[in-house]
Amino acid sequence: MTVVSPVIIQAREEHIADAVAFAALVREEVMPMFAINGLSPDLVNFSEYYLHQEGAGFFLALSERGEIWGCIGVQPYDNRIETAKYEANQPAAEIVKCYVAASSRRSGVGSLLAAEAKRFIAEQGYSVAYLHTHRFLKGAVDFWQRQGFAITAEDQDEWQTVHMDASVT
């Protein structure tokens, strides 16, 4: 049996429609409670958030036929969450929209995307990669711990939010 690895690319203008459709589909599958809110602002304004914002990027894992197997986004982190604040001398990037197609899960696609995001974050001059996930997402916290992230805080609320970060310097 031959195992085929995806190619990881940084999204460009010609990828926007497919990237947004993929992210929206997987988001609705894994977090249906957010579907009623429609697309998130970063997906609605994809180009502004990921293509034209300094220090931001969106990456796709593509099959040899060009099918999207997964995605991950990176944005400058804005310290908007009280339990996740970083000093100016410790610039942080936020990892968002790490989604893998159901048929590609547990095949290494997520790990390849996480590694690419961390590489990009370091290349952009950030010191820290920040993300948050949720306990109700089966395996998410363990996945990110395997990628070198540590839990920094947990919110004891309905969303079971887990804040995590990793040094990239």
Side-chain angles (χ1 to χ4, degrees):
M1 178 174 142
T2 303
V3 176
V4 179
S5 292
V7 173
I8 308 297
I9 65 161
Q10 188 165 355
R12 297 181 305 270
E13 291 286 341
E14 63 266 26
H15 303 118
I16 293 175
D18 291 338
V20 169
F22 176 83
L25 180 72
V26 178
R27 180 177 181 242
E28 185 172 338
E29 173 200 336
V30 298
M31 295 183 291
M33 69 287 279
F34 294 126
I36 61 168
N37 298 330
L39 290 178
S40 57
D42 63 325
L43 293 180
V44 171
N45 301 298
F46 188 95
S47 186
E48 177 186 327
Y49 275 79
Y50 296 110
L51 304 184
H52 301 300
Q53 180 176 204
E54 189 172 333
F58 199 86
F59 301 88
L60 301 169
L62 302 177
S63 73
E64 59 189 17
R65 292 183 295 189
E67 301 161 307
I68 300 176
W69 285 353
C71 66
I72 196 166
V74 174
Q75 301 175 1
Y77 180 59
D78 59 6
N79 280 331
R80 72 187 181 286
I81 300 170
E82 192 58 40
T83 55
K85 299 282 187 185
Y86 296 91
E87 302 295 325
N89 65 348
Q90 189 184 29
E94 183 174 12
I95 293 177
V96 297
K97 305 290 186 288
C98 183
Y99 300 137
V100 176
S103 60
S104 298
R105 292 185 192 137
R106 307 215 44 90
S107 68
V109 171
S111 295
L112 289 171
L113 287 164
E116 181 62 19
K118 286 176 72 176
R119 183 206 60 75
F120 177 79
I121 288 166
E123 179 183 271
Q124 294 298 307
Y126 294 105
S127 299
V128 175
Y130 163 78
L131 62 87
H132 65 267
T133 188
H134 306 280
R135 289 272 178 203
F136 63 79
L137 295 172
K138 185 179 179 206
V141 173
D142 290 340
F143 168 79
W144 287 110
Q145 287 176 319
R146 287 192 308 275
Q147 308 312 309
F149 285 77
I151 296 171
T152 58
E154 286 197 56
D155 298 339
Q156 302 302 318
D157 60 11
E158 66 180 308
W159 299 111
Q160 305 169 309
T161 304
V162 179
H163 304 275
M164 306 179 82
D165 70 15
S167 174
V168 293
T169 55

